[in-house]
Amino acid sequence: MMHGLFGSLENLGGIARYLSEHYRVYSLDMRNHGASPHADDMSLAAMAEDVAEFLVSESIDSAHLLGHSLGGKVMMELALSNPERIDRVVVGDIAPVDYGVPRHDDVFAGIESLDLSTLTKRSQAEEVVAHYIQEPAVRSFILKNLVRDSNGGYYWRINTPALKSNYPKLIGANRDDTHFERPVLFIKGEHSDYLTNAHKGEVLKRFPKAQVKVISGTGHWLHAEKPELFAKLTHNFLQGRA
């Protein structure tokens, strides 16, 4: 399992707990996020290779994959690049396309607006970042990456410079020179524009056995808004019942 941009493995914790009743679940922090190492390169291919190396290190010959948003792009890239190791794939509200237009300028502006050398409490960060990130839920999500060091100061556990410099790669298209023949489930938030009918051709080009389920009343954060339904749809699909 892999989270999305600016996130960590904690974001899919509820889904992981549900699925762990039926599977051995591994939740991963992608590079430059959470507790994973920082790196200059953040191409989809490089991050897919990270997961491939993890499978080898754990002696996992065959696995299902689940990823939300950017994590979904990484898992799609892995399935396209290493199909022999992958059984089924669940993609949370993202398409394998080049989105082109940046969607996170406000987030980067909010992060870069903080002077960490003068920050003494989290409420100060909240006040500053609120000028750039209007939605409280998104602001809270981003500020989970602001953590204290051993001296009581603050630092960002995400590698913001790498995220910003690699951003065009992160919103870019997945490889389209091959395809994955096994089943793939795309789970879409009803009100999200990250996955639409306009993406159908690009999806089927890479994943001819793809199917789509829509969770009503949700947006891009469908896994957080209706985690039990997201988990049940995933479980049914992995069991071949969807």
Side-chain angles (χ1 to χ4, degrees):
M1 300 177 64
M2 183 169 280
H3 59 85
L5 182 62
F6 303 114
S8 73
L9 59 83
E10 300 162 358
N11 303 147
L12 294 171
I15 312 298
R17 285 188 291 275
Y18 180 96
L19 293 177
S20 66
E21 297 178 7
H22 311 280
Y23 310 92
R24 178 175 294 177
V25 178
Y26 296 88
S27 298
L28 308 180
D29 282 328
M30 72 174 70
R31 59 171 65 190
N32 295 319
H33 291 74
S36 283
H38 288 186
D40 292 334
D41 181 23
M42 278 199 74
S43 65
L44 297 178
M47 291 188 287
E49 184 59 27
D50 289 340
V51 184
E53 290 178 0
F54 175 81
L55 294 178
V56 172
S57 71
E58 296 293 325
S59 300
I60 300 172
D61 296 324
S62 180
H64 301 305
L65 304 177
L66 185 155
H68 172 252
S69 197
L70 178 56
K73 272 189 171 287
V74 173
M75 294 311 201
M76 285 190 281
E77 194 74 9
L78 176 58
L80 291 166
S81 303
N82 295 268
E84 70 283 353
R85 303 185 70 90
I86 310 306
D87 289 330
R88 291 181 173 228
V89 183
V90 178
V91 180
D93 206 60
I94 200 73
V97 302
D98 185 345
Y99 286 92
V101 179
R103 294 172 177 243
H104 300 92
D105 288 347
D106 56 342
V107 174
F108 284 117
I111 291 172
E112 293 174 339
S113 69
L114 281 182
D115 181 356
L116 300 184
S117 66
T118 63
L119 192 63
T120 58
K121 53 186 178 180
R122 184 168 293 273
S123 60
Q124 290 176 304
E126 173 84 22
E127 184 176 345
V128 172
V129 173
H131 292 291
Y132 301 88
I133 305 174
Q134 307 301 321
E135 297 180 52
V138 176
R139 191 162 62 245
S140 176
F141 170 72
I142 296 300
L143 287 174
K144 286 182 179 179
N145 291 293
L146 187 65
V147 295
R148 283 190 180 274
D149 60 26
S150 58
N151 297 317
Y154 287 91
Y155 70 96
W156 291 105
R157 63 179 179 175
I158 51 174
N159 184 355
T160 303
L163 299 186
K164 191 171 184 179
S165 64
N166 285 280
Y167 189 82
K169 299 178 185 178
L170 305 183
I171 64 172
N174 286 90
R175 60 182 299 180
D176 63 356
D177 59 342
T178 185
H179 56 274
F180 180 72
E181 288 286 356
R182 293 177 181 173
V184 179
L185 175 63
F186 288 79
I187 305 181
K188 170 183 166 50
E190 179 187 13
H191 304 305
S192 171
D193 63 352
Y194 278 82
L195 181 62
T196 70
N197 286 333
H199 301 139
K200 182 177 180 179
E202 292 299 317
V203 168
L204 292 177
K205 178 180 180 181
R206 298 166 174 84
F207 307 104
K209 293 185 179 179
Q211 57 179 290
V212 179
K213 297 288 186 180
V214 179
I215 298 183
S216 63
T218 63
H220 187 56
W221 306 100
L222 68 174
H223 63 295
E225 296 173 48
K226 295 189 177 181
E228 185 172 343
L229 180 53
F230 186 101
K232 286 182 177 179
L233 288 173
T234 297
H235 178 51
N236 287 340
F237 169 72
L238 297 182
Q239 291 292 306
R241 300 198 298 263

